[in-house]
Amino acid sequence: MPYQQTDLDKLHASLVAVATGPQKVRFADGRETTFQSVDAVAAAIKVVEAQLKMQTRALGGIVRHRVPYYRSGL
């Protein structure tokens, strides 16, 4: 299930709370994760932000494909 903006908001909120100890985050689709460190929350935030950007681009209708170029003509 794709991430939602509320998931990103919860991760940002837990970034501060994780400094006091383990923090649980429940995503919109019911999954629950416990983070032990600030680095783990920061990594999760990067993943969710990347997923949200990909979803936005997919909905925008702009699709970019890269085609490799080979000198041998393949």
Side-chain angles (χ1 to χ4, degrees), residues 57-58 60-65:
R57 287 183 188 150
I62 298 173
V63 179
R64 294 187 175 112
H65 297 284

Side-chain angles (χ1 to χ4, degrees), residues 16-36:
V16 175
V18 131
T20 61
Q23 175 68 26
K24 289 186 180 182
V25 176
R26 183 178 297 272
F27 293 104
D29 61 354
R31 292 177 294 144
E32 188 175 289
T33 304
T34 302
F35 295 103
Q36 300 295 333

Side-chain angles (χ1 to χ4, degrees), residues 5-63:
Q5 184 63 38
T6 56
D7 296 330
L8 185 60
D9 296 338
K10 288 178 185 179
L11 284 171
H12 280 290
S14 68
L15 185 61
V16 175
V18 131
T20 61
Q23 175 68 26
K24 289 186 180 182
V25 176
R26 183 178 297 272
F27 293 104
D29 61 354
R31 292 177 294 144
E32 188 175 289
T33 304
T34 302
F35 295 103
Q36 300 295 333
S37 68
V38 174
D39 293 333
V41 177
I45 288 173
K46 287 182 183 179
V47 168
V48 172
E49 285 176 341
Q51 288 284 336
L52 288 174
K53 284 181 185 177
M54 287 182 359
Q55 291 170 16
T56 303
R57 287 183 188 150
L59 293 176
I62 298 173
V63 179

